[in-house]
Amino acid sequence: MAVALDRIRVGSAPDSWGVWFPDDPQQVPWQRFLDEVAEAGYSWIELGPYGYLPTDPARLRDEVKKRDLKVSAGTIFCGLHRGPSAWDATWEQVGRVAALTRDMGAKHLVVIPSFWRDDKTAEILEAPELTTEQWGHLTKGMERLGREVKDAYGLDIVVHPHADTHIDTEEHVERFLDSTDSGLVNLCLDTGHYAYCGGDSVKLIETYGERIGYLHLKQVDPEILADVVENGVPFGPAVQRGVMCEPPAGVPDLGPVLTAAQELGVDLFAIVEQDMYPCEPDKPLPIAVRTRRFLRSCGA
């Protein structure tokens, strides 16, 4: 019998419906996403790319409420490793997203580091390894972001290790956590991205449990991943190959991850994100229904 995961609040996100951009003809309309995520049995959602869902708080509140949905987080990308010159552009983006996130009653802002490689063209934009000076900019910048987002919007930032960014592997994630203040910065552990980059989610939860502030649930196909790693395939094309697969077909095994998270003894969101871009409009809903059923079988 599965352990009752009563501290885990499960949701899904536009990402699981093939949504990566605010506006794209290959993506399903936002109304369809909201209808289908509710139909699949989820009660929590993320905002996704700013501008995909309505940005007027009153309208968005009405749209989610009538479907019995609630918002868990907003998301931003930032390149704070570039130093103080990156702050103003970051804060401008934060202002829009954090205000809407707060107005929807959510408490978290997911922060994804900027990509060092273009996820569409594979163009190398920056060196994959940061210098010591850039690590300093990144960690101090994230601490400043955590402090100012909390002060201005009442939100906690959770930094999301991500493929093709500078916070990806176990070594980089641990360095980041060891170099930042837990009172200002914690982690959004994405089980798929961490596995994609060779990390062990259960080990991370057991070692750095007090730093785990939020979860993204996804899995990778080991065979596709092996080819991706061997041939240096960028993240975007890897997704098109199906590297992020439907649970429970891939790794990591989500049961032990959820059990380890439950044992932390704190309330955590666990938001399903199966990267699918682009995808056929009829593909996401059946997967979402099956994934929700699978997570219930795990006790969530």
Side-chain angles (χ1 to χ4, degrees):
M1 184 175 172
V3 176
L5 302 173
D6 58 358
R7 306 303 294 263
I8 308 296
R9 290 169 286 183
V10 172
S12 193
D15 184 56
S16 295
W17 267 255
V19 175
W20 276 13
F21 303 101
D23 184 38
D24 188 307
Q26 298 188 89
Q27 298 174 171
V28 296
W30 62 266
Q31 296 94 332
R32 181 170 178 177
F33 160 68
L34 291 179
D35 288 343
E36 292 189 352
V37 75
E39 183 182 341
Y42 295 100
S43 53
W44 293 94
I45 61 165
E46 290 185 359
L47 294 177
Y50 182 81
Y52 174 66
L53 294 175
T55 56
D56 173 66
R59 184 182 184 198
L60 185 55
R61 270 196 299 267
D62 180 59
E63 294 288 351
V64 298
K65 185 178 180 182
K66 71 186 184 185
R67 296 170 174 89
D68 292 322
L69 296 169
K70 293 170 283 189
V71 175
S72 62
T75 303
I76 66 147
F77 287 82
C78 65
L80 293 175
H81 66 284
R82 298 181 189 121
S85 63
W87 179 262
D88 288 346
T90 299
W91 190 249
E92 182 184 359
Q93 179 197 177
V94 166
R96 293 190 299 269
V97 178
L100 183 59
T101 303
R102 174 200 60 200
D103 291 346
M104 295 310 296
K107 299 297 183 187
H108 293 90
L109 186 67
V110 178
V111 179
I112 301 177
S114 56
F115 285 55
W116 55 260
R117 174 165 59 182
D118 189 287
D119 63 334
K120 279 188 168 181
T121 68
E123 178 190 358
I124 303 294
L125 306 172
E126 299 182 76
E129 289 286 339
L130 296 178
T131 65
T132 301
E133 181 183 34
Q134 288 173 321
W135 268 109
H137 289 321
L138 176 63
T139 54
K140 295 306 175 192
M142 287 294 191
E143 288 180 332
R144 179 184 177 187
L145 187 64
R147 183 183 303 110
E148 298 203 16
V149 165
K150 188 72 169 179
D151 289 348
Y153 299 101
L155 305 177
D156 293 323
I157 71 165
V158 281
V159 177
H160 181 321
H162 196 293
D164 288 0
T165 77
H166 295 109
I167 307 177
D168 50 3
T169 61
E170 178 180 14
E171 178 188 359
H172 288 164
V173 169
E174 292 187 353
R175 180 173 180 175
F176 178 76
L177 290 174
D178 290 343
S179 305
T180 49
D181 182 343
S182 62
L184 300 172
V185 179
N186 284 307
L187 212 65
C188 169
L189 170 57
D190 184 302
T191 60
H193 279 279
Y194 202 49
Y196 186 105
C197 299
D200 180 332
S201 289
V202 171
K203 178 185 173 187
L204 187 67
I205 293 169
E206 291 176 345
T207 308
Y208 287 90
E210 75 285 355
R211 304 300 299 275
I212 307 298
Y214 199 93
L215 295 172
H216 278 172
L217 301 180
K218 63 164 70 86
Q219 288 188 322
V220 294
D221 180 311
E223 291 185 10
I224 297 175
L225 179 63
D227 183 64
V228 162
V229 171
E230 183 178 345
N231 292 293
V233 178
F235 181 65
V239 167
Q240 292 179 25
R241 294 185 184 194
V243 72
M244 298 297 185
C245 62
E246 177 182 343
V251 297
D253 183 351
L254 293 179
V257 173
L258 290 166
T259 299
Q262 168 73 17
E263 289 173 353
L264 295 176
V266 297
D267 292 332
L268 283 174
F269 284 107
I271 305 300
V272 176
E273 275 200 334
Q274 184 183 341
D275 291 315
M276 295 191 292
Y277 177 85
C279 72
E280 294 299 317
D282 293 335
K283 185 179 179 183
L285 178 58
I287 291 175
V289 170
R290 291 191 297 266
T291 301
R292 187 69 193 96
R293 188 182 307 132
F294 164 69
L295 291 172
R296 284 195 183 97
S297 77
C298 296

